[in-house]
Amino acid sequence: MLSKRPWFKRLLLSYLPVFLAIAAVLSILFVFAAIGVGKKEALRANRVFASQVQQSIDYSLRMVDQMMLGELGTNAVWRDFFEPKPQTRTNRYIADYELSNKLVGLTDNSPLIDSIYLVRFADQKVMTNSSMLSLENLPDRSFLQEVRHRTEQMRFWTSPRTADGVGMEEKDMFSLVLRYPLLDGEQGMVVVNIQTAAIAGLLDSFSDSGLSFIRLYDDAGALVSGTDIQQRAAGHEERLQAKSAKVLTRIKSDYTGWEVQSGLKDGSYAGGYTIPPRVWLALAVLTVLLGIGFIIYITMRNYKPIGKIMESIETYASVEPPKLRKGGGGDEFVFIAKALDDLIRQTGEDVIYRRRLLFQELFEGSRAISPEQWREQLKGLGMEAPVDRLQTGIVDIDRYEDFCRSYNHRDQGLLRFALGNVVSEFAEQQGLCIWAEWLTSQRMGLLILHQSGGQAPESEGRLQLVTGSAVEWVRQNLRLTTTIALGIAVEKASEVGLSYESAAEAMKYKSVLGSSRVIAQLDLPVQSPGDVFSQLQPIRAMATAFRLGEEKWRELFAQVMEALKKGRFSRDDIVNLMGYMLYQLNLELAGLPEESRQPWEVQAAPELERVIGGMDTLEELTCQVLPILEEQDALIRQIREKRAAHSIVWEARRFIEENYDNPDMSLTYVGEHFHITSNYLSRLFKEETGENFVDYLARIRIEQAMRLLKETELTVQEVAVRAGYTHYVSFNRVFKRIAGVTPGDYRK
C-alpha cells in the first residue's frame, strides 16, 4: 500500500466543499421556507379532505336516488298506486297496505330517509309511511304544491326547509322529488324526505380531530349544517349560525349544486409551526455532520478496490514498482494505467484478439476445432489438467436501459471490467476455471471448464456457489444487478454452441423467475404449446369487462397475470400475450364515444405499448400496466356517470342479465318495460356501452350457455332453451360466431 493517498484526499476534498455549500444554503432557506411549505401542504390536505366529504355526501344521496329509481322501475306496487285499476274495495286496501309496508321498509332500511310521500294527481291523494289522506290534510301540503309546479325537471333535490310530519314534531329536512312516470311525470310524484340531522351526523364523522371544520350550504347559499355551528333559539328563520373561522376550501357538487366549505378552526392553523428556529438550525447542523461522516465512510469504501489493485500490481508486476511509480507520479490511476500499458505490451494485443475471436466462434458454433488444438488453447489458459466437461453461462445486466442512462460510456466499460473480474475471482476461490468475455454490451459469456478427476455433483455445487456469490456481490457493491443463466454441460468443444443456446433459452424466463438470481436448467418449466392459447379467452373476457366498466375486469387481469407466473411463460410468450391484450382493448374501446375513446388512444395505449416492449420481469410489468388501466377505467366511469342516461342503461343491463332466458327479449320488450322507445334505447345503449343491444344480449346468452355446457349434463337443445333460444339452428349459429366452435365441440 502506498504511504500517501492523494486520490483519497482528492475524492474527499471534491465532495466536502460542494456538500458544505449546499448544506449551508439549505439551512438558511429551511427556516424561511418551512412555514410557507407547511401552509401549502395544509391547503392541499384540506382540499383533499373537503373533496372526500363532498364525494361522501353525493354518494349517500345518489344511493337514495338510485334505490328509488330501481323501486319505481321494477316494483308493480308503485304502478298500482299511480295507475289504479277498477277493483274491489278489499283488493284496494290490500294494495294500499302492501305499498305502506314498502314505504316503511324503505325508511327503516335507510338511515338517511325520514319519510316518503306518494302524491297522486288524479284524485289529490297522498300515501305516507303510515296513512292515506288527501293533499289538503297533509301538514307539508304547501311544499308539495310548490314542487308540483316545477315541471322542468323529472327528478331533483330541494333546498332544506322546516316542516311538520304526519303525526310528528317539526323537523329540518330536505327532499328528493321524483315525478311519475320518470319520462313525463303526469300521474304523480314521490317525495323522499331526508333529515338534515342525518347529514350533520355524517359531517361529524369526518371531523373529530377538533382542528378542522366542515360546513354545507345549499344551492341558494343558505347554511344547511356544519361541525362548528351554534344553535340559535330565537325563531326558525335563522336557526344555524357558523362560528367565525378561516375557510380554506370551497367545493361545489355537480350533482346537487350544494357547496362544501372547509378550513381550520381558530387557534389550530399555526399550531404546527411554533417550533423555534434554533431547533431547525440544530437539526440542520446535525444533518451536515452526519453527512460528512457518511461521505468519509463512502470514500474509504470506494478507495478499497483501488488499494487492492495497487497491492496486486506491486506484488506481481514484472516491472519494479519504483519504475511504475515514476511513470505514474503521485496519482493512483495513472499508476494503474501505466501498469496496464506494460501488461498489454508484454502479452500483445494480438493474443487478446485471437482469444476473443475463438470464444465468440465457440459460442456461435461456427468453429471446428480438433482435440489437439483445444488442448493447446487450454494450455494458454493455464489448464494443465484435462477437461472432461464444458458448460456455458450468460451474465445479463438487468434493466439495461436504466444502466445506459445512468452511466457514460467510460463508466460502463469500467463496470463491465469489474463484473468480469468478480466472476474470475470467485471462480478462483472455488478452484474452478471460468473464461469470461463480453458478447454484447449487455451480455457477458462464461465458459466453465470442469476438470477431470472431480465428481460432477461437487463441481456443479461449486459452480452454483460461484455464480450465486457473484450475483450477490454485484447487488451489494454496485448500483446495478445481474442475472446469470447456465446452459447444459457438453463434452466436446464443438458442442459449446448447443450449451450456449440452452443458456440463452433459460435467460428468456428471467421475466417470470425474477432478476438478480441464477437460472439453472432445473428451474425451467416443461410447457406445452397449448398453454399459451389457453390465455386468449380470459384476455378477451377481461377486455370486454373493461369496456363495460364491470369491476370483474381487475379479477380477470389478476388471473391472467397469475397464470403467466405459474405457467412460467418465456419473455417472448408474455410479450406476445400482452400485445394481444392491448389489441383486444383497442378493439373493444373503438366502439365507445369519442370523449371516452380519445384519452385511451392518445395516452394510455402508447404508454402500454412502451411498457410491454421494455418489460424486464413479470412483476414489474404488472405494477406498471395495472395503474394505467385503473386510471382509464376511472376516467371512462366518470364520463359515463355525467350522462343523464347512465342510470337508465344500467337498469336496462341488469334487467337483461336477469331475464336473458326470455325468448321475447328484444329492444321493443325492454323499451316497453322502461317506458321508452326502442330506437331511443338502442342509441343510449350503444353510446353508453360501445356495443349494440343485439350483440350484448347474444353475448350474455352464450356466456350462460357455455357455463351450462361445462357444469351440467343438459342436452344441447335444453341448454339452448335455457339460454333463451327457441330454435336450435339459431342457437348453434350464434354460439359458433361468439365461441368459435359449435356447442357440441365446446362441451368435448
Side-chain angles (χ1 to χ4, degrees), residues 213-238:
F213 67 86
I214 312 169
R215 301 172 191 161
L216 180 64
Y217 293 85
D218 63 13
D219 52 357
L223 180 63
V224 178
S225 182
T227 58
D228 64 334
I229 62 172
Q230 295 177 336
Q231 296 292 339
R232 302 185 63 186
H236 299 295
E237 65 281 356
E238 291 183 324

PDB file of all heavy atoms in Angstrom, residues 213-238:
ATOM      1  N   PHE A 213     -63.028  22.213  10.460  1.00  0.00           N
ATOM      2  CA  PHE A 213     -64.483  22.285  10.454  1.00  0.00           C
ATOM      3  C   PHE A 213     -64.981  22.039   9.042  1.00  0.00           C
ATOM      4  O   PHE A 213     -64.247  22.198   8.063  1.00  0.00           O
ATOM      5  CB  PHE A 213     -64.966  23.648  10.959  1.00  0.00           C
ATOM      6  CG  PHE A 213     -64.623  24.800  10.033  1.00  0.00           C
ATOM      7  CD1 PHE A 213     -65.454  25.146   8.960  1.00  0.00           C
ATOM      8  CD2 PHE A 213     -63.464  25.534  10.225  1.00  0.00           C
ATOM      9  CE1 PHE A 213     -65.127  26.190   8.115  1.00  0.00           C
ATOM     10  CE2 PHE A 213     -63.137  26.579   9.385  1.00  0.00           C
ATOM     11  CZ  PHE A 213     -63.974  26.910   8.322  1.00  0.00           C
ATOM     12  N   ILE A 214     -66.250  21.658   8.945  1.00  0.00           N
ATOM     13  CA  ILE A 214     -66.904  21.434   7.660  1.00  0.00           C
ATOM     14  C   ILE A 214     -68.260  22.124   7.710  1.00  0.00           C
ATOM     15  O   ILE A 214     -68.974  22.034   8.714  1.00  0.00           O
ATOM     16  CB  ILE A 214     -67.125  19.935   7.371  1.00  0.00           C
ATOM     17  CG1 ILE A 214     -65.854  19.137   7.639  1.00  0.00           C
ATOM     18  CG2 ILE A 214     -67.583  19.728   5.935  1.00  0.00           C
ATOM     19  CD1 ILE A 214     -66.085  17.648   7.630  1.00  0.00           C
ATOM     20  N   ARG A 215     -68.630  22.804   6.628  1.00  0.00           N
ATOM     21  CA  ARG A 215     -69.952  23.412   6.511  1.00  0.00           C
ATOM     22  C   ARG A 215     -70.553  23.025   5.177  1.00  0.00           C
ATOM     23  O   ARG A 215     -69.834  22.889   4.180  1.00  0.00           O
ATOM     24  CB  ARG A 215     -69.871  24.944   6.602  1.00  0.00           C
ATOM     25  CG  ARG A 215     -69.257  25.455   7.892  1.00  0.00           C
ATOM     26  CD  ARG A 215     -69.035  26.948   7.801  1.00  0.00           C
ATOM     27  NE  ARG A 215     -68.219  27.449   8.911  1.00  0.00           N
ATOM     28  CZ  ARG A 215     -67.589  28.609   8.893  1.00  0.00           C
ATOM     29  NH1 ARG A 215     -67.684  29.394   7.821  1.00  0.00           N
ATOM     30  NH2 ARG A 215     -66.864  29.000   9.921  1.00  0.00           N
ATOM     31  N   LEU A 216     -71.862  22.910   5.181  1.00  0.00           N
ATOM     32  CA  LEU A 216     -72.584  22.545   3.969  1.00  0.00           C
ATOM     33  C   LEU A 216     -73.632  23.618   3.682  1.00  0.00           C
ATOM     34  O   LEU A 216     -74.461  23.933   4.539  1.00  0.00           O
ATOM     35  CB  LEU A 216     -73.252  21.170   4.143  1.00  0.00           C
ATOM     36  CG  LEU A 216     -74.037  20.649   2.952  1.00  0.00           C
ATOM     37  CD1 LEU A 216     -73.110  20.425   1.757  1.00  0.00           C
ATOM     38  CD2 LEU A 216     -74.759  19.347   3.311  1.00  0.00           C
ATOM     39  N   TYR A 217     -73.582  24.205   2.465  1.00  0.00           N
ATOM     40  CA  TYR A 217     -74.522  25.233   2.032  1.00  0.00           C
ATOM     41  C   TYR A 217     -75.314  24.718   0.841  1.00  0.00           C
ATOM     42  O   TYR A 217     -74.780  23.997  -0.016  1.00  0.00           O
ATOM     43  CB  TYR A 217     -73.786  26.512   1.629  1.00  0.00           C
ATOM     44  CG  TYR A 217     -73.113  27.218   2.785  1.00  0.00           C
ATOM     45  CD1 TYR A 217     -71.839  26.846   3.204  1.00  0.00           C
ATOM     46  CD2 TYR A 217     -73.738  28.264   3.458  1.00  0.00           C
ATOM     47  CE1 TYR A 217     -71.209  27.480   4.263  1.00  0.00           C
ATOM     48  CE2 TYR A 217     -73.119  28.917   4.514  1.00  0.00           C
ATOM     49  CZ  TYR A 217     -71.859  28.521   4.921  1.00  0.00           C
ATOM     50  OH  TYR A 217     -71.244  29.163   5.962  1.00  0.00           O
ATOM     51  N   ASP A 218     -76.595  25.089   0.772  1.00  0.00           N
ATOM     52  CA  ASP A 218     -77.403  24.653  -0.362  1.00  0.00           C
ATOM     53  C   ASP A 218     -77.125  25.525  -1.576  1.00  0.00           C
ATOM     54  O   ASP A 218     -76.300  26.450  -1.529  1.00  0.00           O
ATOM     55  CB  ASP A 218     -78.894  24.641  -0.007  1.00  0.00           C
ATOM     56  CG  ASP A 218     -79.416  26.044   0.321  1.00  0.00           C
ATOM     57  OD1 ASP A 218     -78.707  27.030   0.035  1.00  0.00           O
ATOM     58  OD2 ASP A 218     -80.535  26.148   0.853  1.00  0.00           O
ATOM     59  N   ASP A 219     -77.851  25.259  -2.683  1.00  0.00           N
ATOM     60  CA  ASP A 219     -77.588  25.990  -3.922  1.00  0.00           C
ATOM     61  C   ASP A 219     -78.003  27.457  -3.828  1.00  0.00           C
ATOM     62  O   ASP A 219     -77.601  28.272  -4.672  1.00  0.00           O
ATOM     63  CB  ASP A 219     -78.299  25.315  -5.100  1.00  0.00           C
ATOM     64  CG  ASP A 219     -79.781  25.095  -4.810  1.00  0.00           C
ATOM     65  OD1 ASP A 219     -80.216  25.409  -3.692  1.00  0.00           O
ATOM     66  OD2 ASP A 219     -80.492  24.589  -5.706  1.00  0.00           O
ATOM     67  N   ALA A 220     -78.796  27.820  -2.829  1.00  0.00           N
ATOM     68  CA  ALA A 220     -79.184  29.217  -2.637  1.00  0.00           C
ATOM     69  C   ALA A 220     -78.235  29.953  -1.690  1.00  0.00           C
ATOM     70  O   ALA A 220     -78.425  31.128  -1.400  1.00  0.00           O
ATOM     71  CB  ALA A 220     -80.612  29.302  -2.105  1.00  0.00           C
ATOM     72  N   GLY A 221     -77.229  29.261  -1.143  1.00  0.00           N
ATOM     73  CA  GLY A 221     -76.269  29.883  -0.247  1.00  0.00           C
ATOM     74  C   GLY A 221     -76.650  29.825   1.210  1.00  0.00           C
ATOM     75  O   GLY A 221     -75.957  30.394   2.051  1.00  0.00           O
ATOM     76  N   ALA A 222     -77.742  29.108   1.541  1.00  0.00           N
ATOM     77  CA  ALA A 222     -78.153  29.004   2.947  1.00  0.00           C
ATOM     78  C   ALA A 222     -77.372  27.889   3.634  1.00  0.00           C
ATOM     79  O   ALA A 222     -77.095  26.845   3.041  1.00  0.00           O
ATOM     80  CB  ALA A 222     -79.653  28.717   3.032  1.00  0.00           C
ATOM     81  N   LEU A 223     -77.003  28.123   4.902  1.00  0.00           N
ATOM     82  CA  LEU A 223     -76.259  27.147   5.676  1.00  0.00           C
ATOM     83  C   LEU A 223     -77.161  25.972   6.040  1.00  0.00           C
ATOM     84  O   LEU A 223     -78.191  26.144   6.676  1.00  0.00           O
ATOM     85  CB  LEU A 223     -75.699  27.809   6.942  1.00  0.00           C
ATOM     86  CG  LEU A 223     -74.883  26.905   7.875  1.00  0.00           C
ATOM     87  CD1 LEU A 223     -73.638  26.408   7.173  1.00  0.00           C
ATOM     88  CD2 LEU A 223     -74.513  27.673   9.146  1.00  0.00           C
ATOM     89  N   VAL A 224     -76.739  24.763   5.628  1.00  0.00           N
ATOM     90  CA  VAL A 224     -77.508  23.551   5.918  1.00  0.00           C
ATOM     91  C   VAL A 224     -77.061  22.941   7.236  1.00  0.00           C
ATOM     92  O   VAL A 224     -77.859  22.674   8.133  1.00  0.00           O
ATOM     93  CB  VAL A 224     -77.347  22.529   4.773  1.00  0.00           C
ATOM     94  CG1 VAL A 224     -78.108  21.242   5.107  1.00  0.00           C
ATOM     95  CG2 VAL A 224     -77.835  23.113   3.462  1.00  0.00           C
ATOM     96  N   SER A 225     -75.777  22.714   7.369  1.00  0.00           N
ATOM     97  CA  SER A 225     -75.248  22.104   8.580  1.00  0.00           C
ATOM     98  C   SER A 225     -73.753  22.355   8.622  1.00  0.00           C
ATOM     99  O   SER A 225     -73.144  22.757   7.625  1.00  0.00           O
ATOM    100  CB  SER A 225     -75.539  20.598   8.599  1.00  0.00           C
ATOM    101  OG  SER A 225     -75.068  20.025   9.797  1.00  0.00           O
ATOM    102  N   GLY A 226     -73.159  22.104   9.775  1.00  0.00           N
ATOM    103  CA  GLY A 226     -71.718  22.269   9.922  1.00  0.00           C
ATOM    104  C   GLY A 226     -71.272  21.750  11.263  1.00  0.00           C
ATOM    105  O   GLY A 226     -72.056  21.641  12.216  1.00  0.00           O
ATOM    106  N   THR A 227     -69.992  21.429  11.335  1.00  0.00           N
ATOM    107  CA  THR A 227     -69.451  20.900  12.584  1.00  0.00           C
ATOM    108  C   THR A 227     -69.113  21.990  13.594  1.00  0.00           C
ATOM    109  O   THR A 227     -68.778  21.686  14.731  1.00  0.00           O
ATOM    110  CB  THR A 227     -68.189  20.079  12.284  1.00  0.00           C
ATOM    111  OG1 THR A 227     -67.238  20.912  11.613  1.00  0.00           O
ATOM    112  CG2 THR A 227     -68.508  18.887  11.390  1.00  0.00           C
ATOM    113  N   ASP A 228     -69.157  23.265  13.150  1.00  0.00           N
ATOM    114  CA  ASP A 228     -68.843  24.359  14.072  1.00  0.00           C
ATOM    115  C   ASP A 228     -70.018  25.333  14.218  1.00  0.00           C
ATOM    116  O   ASP A 228     -69.819  26.507  14.520  1.00  0.00           O
ATOM    117  CB  ASP A 228     -67.611  25.116  13.571  1.00  0.00           C
ATOM    118  CG  ASP A 228     -67.876  25.790  12.231  1.00  0.00           C
ATOM    119  OD1 ASP A 228     -68.752  25.297  11.485  1.00  0.00           O
ATOM    120  OD2 ASP A 228     -67.210  26.800  11.939  1.00  0.00           O
ATOM    121  N   ILE A 229     -71.263  24.838  14.004  1.00  0.00           N
ATOM    122  CA  ILE A 229     -72.415  25.742  14.060  1.00  0.00           C
ATOM    123  C   ILE A 229     -72.912  25.891  15.497  1.00  0.00           C
ATOM    124  O   ILE A 229     -72.658  25.050  16.367  1.00  0.00           O
ATOM    125  CB  ILE A 229     -73.551  25.231  13.158  1.00  0.00           C
ATOM    126  CG1 ILE A 229     -74.027  23.856  13.654  1.00  0.00           C
ATOM    127  CG2 ILE A 229     -73.141  25.137  11.719  1.00  0.00           C
ATOM    128  CD1 ILE A 229     -75.262  23.371  12.937  1.00  0.00           C
ATOM    129  N   GLN A 230     -73.624  26.996  15.720  1.00  0.00           N
ATOM    130  CA  GLN A 230     -74.257  27.257  17.014  1.00  0.00           C
ATOM    131  C   GLN A 230     -75.768  27.266  16.819  1.00  0.00           C
ATOM    132  O   GLN A 230     -76.286  27.903  15.895  1.00  0.00           O
ATOM    133  CB  GLN A 230     -73.806  28.606  17.570  1.00  0.00           C
ATOM    134  CG  GLN A 230     -72.316  28.666  17.919  1.00  0.00           C
ATOM    135  CD  GLN A 230     -71.934  30.043  18.389  1.00  0.00           C
ATOM    136  OE1 GLN A 230     -72.583  31.024  18.067  1.00  0.00           O
ATOM    137  NE2 GLN A 230     -70.860  30.101  19.170  1.00  0.00           N
ATOM    138  N   GLN A 231     -76.490  26.546  17.650  1.00  0.00           N
ATOM    139  CA  GLN A 231     -77.953  26.540  17.590  1.00  0.00           C
ATOM    140  C   GLN A 231     -78.491  27.840  18.198  1.00  0.00           C
ATOM    141  O   GLN A 231     -78.078  28.266  19.282  1.00  0.00           O
ATOM    142  CB  GLN A 231     -78.519  25.339  18.367  1.00  0.00           C
ATOM    143  CG  GLN A 231     -78.132  23.994  17.778  1.00  0.00           C
ATOM    144  CD  GLN A 231     -78.787  23.764  16.445  1.00  0.00           C
ATOM    145  OE1 GLN A 231     -79.800  24.388  16.128  1.00  0.00           O
ATOM    146  NE2 GLN A 231     -78.222  22.872  15.646  1.00  0.00           N
ATOM    147  N   ARG A 232     -79.395  28.490  17.496  1.00  0.00           N
ATOM    148  CA  ARG A 232     -79.990  29.734  17.992  1.00  0.00           C
ATOM    149  C   ARG A 232     -81.442  29.474  18.377  1.00  0.00           C
ATOM    150  O   ARG A 232     -82.189  28.814  17.655  1.00  0.00           O
ATOM    151  CB  ARG A 232     -79.905  30.829  16.933  1.00  0.00           C
ATOM    152  CG  ARG A 232     -78.461  31.123  16.493  1.00  0.00           C
ATOM    153  CD  ARG A 232     -78.391  32.284  15.530  1.00  0.00           C
ATOM    154  NE  ARG A 232     -78.847  33.507  16.178  1.00  0.00           N
ATOM    155  CZ  ARG A 232     -78.996  34.654  15.542  1.00  0.00           C
ATOM    156  NH1 ARG A 232     -78.737  34.730  14.254  1.00  0.00           N
ATOM    157  NH2 ARG A 232     -79.434  35.726  16.182  1.00  0.00           N
ATOM    158  N   ALA A 233     -81.814  30.006  19.471  1.00  0.00           N
ATOM    159  CA  ALA A 233     -83.152  29.722  19.996  1.00  0.00           C
ATOM    160  C   ALA A 233     -84.202  30.693  19.489  1.00  0.00           C
ATOM    161  O   ALA A 233     -85.392  30.470  19.665  1.00  0.00           O
ATOM    162  CB  ALA A 233     -83.126  29.764  21.527  1.00  0.00           C
ATOM    163  N   ALA A 234     -83.827  31.789  18.908  1.00  0.00           N
ATOM    164  CA  ALA A 234     -84.781  32.833  18.523  1.00  0.00           C
ATOM    165  C   ALA A 234     -85.343  32.554  17.147  1.00  0.00           C
ATOM    166  O   ALA A 234     -84.747  32.897  16.146  1.00  0.00           O
ATOM    167  CB  ALA A 234     -84.094  34.193  18.562  1.00  0.00           C
ATOM    168  N   GLY A 235     -86.517  31.929  17.104  1.00  0.00           N
ATOM    169  CA  GLY A 235     -87.245  31.766  15.849  1.00  0.00           C
ATOM    170  C   GLY A 235     -86.679  30.679  14.970  1.00  0.00           C
ATOM    171  O   GLY A 235     -85.685  30.049  15.270  1.00  0.00           O
ATOM    172  N   HIS A 236     -87.390  30.478  13.822  1.00  0.00           N
ATOM    173  CA  HIS A 236     -86.988  29.449  12.879  1.00  0.00           C
ATOM    174  C   HIS A 236     -86.265  30.011  11.679  1.00  0.00           C
ATOM    175  O   HIS A 236     -85.724  29.259  10.883  1.00  0.00           O
ATOM    176  CB  HIS A 236     -88.229  28.686  12.378  1.00  0.00           C
ATOM    177  CG  HIS A 236     -88.960  27.996  13.484  1.00  0.00           C
ATOM    178  ND1 HIS A 236     -88.397  26.979  14.194  1.00  0.00           N
ATOM    179  CD2 HIS A 236     -90.230  28.170  13.966  1.00  0.00           C
ATOM    180  CE1 HIS A 236     -89.286  26.544  15.085  1.00  0.00           C
ATOM    181  NE2 HIS A 236     -90.397  27.252  14.970  1.00  0.00           N
ATOM    182  N   GLU A 237     -86.317  31.326  11.514  1.00  0.00           N
ATOM    183  CA  GLU A 237     -85.774  31.868  10.277  1.00  0.00           C
ATOM    184  C   GLU A 237     -84.248  31.839  10.266  1.00  0.00           C
ATOM    185  O   GLU A 237     -83.628  31.830   9.218  1.00  0.00           O
ATOM    186  CB  GLU A 237     -86.251  33.315  10.075  1.00  0.00           C
ATOM    187  CG  GLU A 237     -85.753  34.334  11.122  1.00  0.00           C
ATOM    188  CD  GLU A 237     -86.556  34.252  12.402  1.00  0.00           C
ATOM    189  OE1 GLU A 237     -87.538  33.454  12.415  1.00  0.00           O
ATOM    190  OE2 GLU A 237     -86.255  34.966  13.357  1.00  0.00           O
ATOM    191  N   GLU A 238     -83.564  31.829  11.437  1.00  0.00           N
ATOM    192  CA  GLU A 238     -82.109  31.763  11.493  1.00  0.00           C
ATOM    193  C   GLU A 238     -81.722  30.798  12.622  1.00  0.00           C
ATOM    194  O   GLU A 238     -81.320  31.204  13.698  1.00  0.00           O
ATOM    195  CB  GLU A 238     -81.511  33.150  11.756  1.00  0.00           C
ATOM    196  CG  GLU A 238     -81.666  34.121  10.590  1.00  0.00           C
ATOM    197  CD  GLU A 238     -80.993  35.445  10.888  1.00  0.00           C
ATOM    198  OE1 GLU A 238     -81.036  35.873  12.067  1.00  0.00           O
ATOM    199  OE2 GLU A 238     -80.431  36.019   9.970  1.00  0.00           O
TER     200      GLU A 238
END
